[in-house]
Amino acid sequence: MNGLELFLLGHKLIRIGQDAIPRSGFHRLPTSARTILVDVFEHPGSSISEITERTGFPQSLVSSSVARFREDGVMATETDPADRRRTLVYPAPGVPEKGRRQADTMTVDGVLATALGAEPEEVAEIVAVLDSLARRLSNAPI
């Protein structure tokens, strides 16, 4: 597998994952806003400039998205005590736990079976491999 193949696989997995998530406001968000949301959940306590650097979006887009998420109660911000010019961004209290509780009630088995045209036994094997990969990557310094 080369880098392009891995990249394309990642995009296919994203689409399968999105299909497995119950329809919500998350699906109506523009891709840029979803990317910013995921970045903050993966890197809580980041500054606007750090989010801008990681996502590649203009600072004005990141700032306006964070402001909207803050108004919606999804994110919280605070002034960086070490540098009062910077704003630090966090998931709002309780939001990650609520998302995890909802995610725990969902499985990807049906969506994978449809996407792959696979039987339940094969889907179970694939899910086990994906679980293993997810655990390994969760500790990777990416």
Side-chain angles (χ1 to χ4, degrees):
M1 175 172 280
N2 63 37
L4 178 59
E5 291 168 328
L6 182 61
F7 180 82
L8 293 173
L9 172 62
H11 273 273
K12 287 179 184 177
L13 290 172
I14 287 170
R15 285 195 299 276
I16 291 169
Q18 287 174 335
D19 288 346
I21 297 171
R23 291 289 169 214
S24 66
F26 180 78
H27 290 85
R28 290 187 297 272
L29 291 173
T31 303
S32 58
R34 283 195 308 253
T35 302
I36 292 164
L37 180 67
V38 169
D39 185 80
V40 170
F41 277 69
E42 288 180 342
H43 307 281
S46 293
S47 68
I48 297 290
S49 59
E50 290 167 335
I51 298 166
T52 298
E53 185 177 312
R54 283 191 300 268
T55 63
F57 297 128
Q59 185 168 343
S60 59
L61 176 65
V62 172
S63 295
S64 64
S65 295
V66 166
R68 264 183 267 126
F69 284 131
R70 190 181 60 237
E71 290 170 8
D72 292 342
V74 177
M75 291 183 188
T77 60
E78 69 180 25
T79 302
D80 184 348
D83 181 349
R84 311 255 337 133
R85 297 169 295 173
R86 293 173 15 131
T87 299
L88 303 180
V89 185
Y90 299 88
V95 172
E97 293 77 17
K98 179 181 176 187
R100 278 190 206 95
R101 281 194 308 274
Q102 288 175 338
D104 286 346
T105 65
M106 304 176 282
T107 66
V108 297
D109 299 41
V111 177
L112 277 172
T114 301
L116 301 171
E119 295 299 319
E121 305 81 35
E122 186 180 6
V123 170
E125 291 174 18
I126 292 167
V127 169
V129 169
L130 290 171
D131 280 339
S132 174
L133 179 61
R135 277 192 306 279
R136 295 186 73 159
L137 285 175
S138 70
N139 297 322
I142 297 176

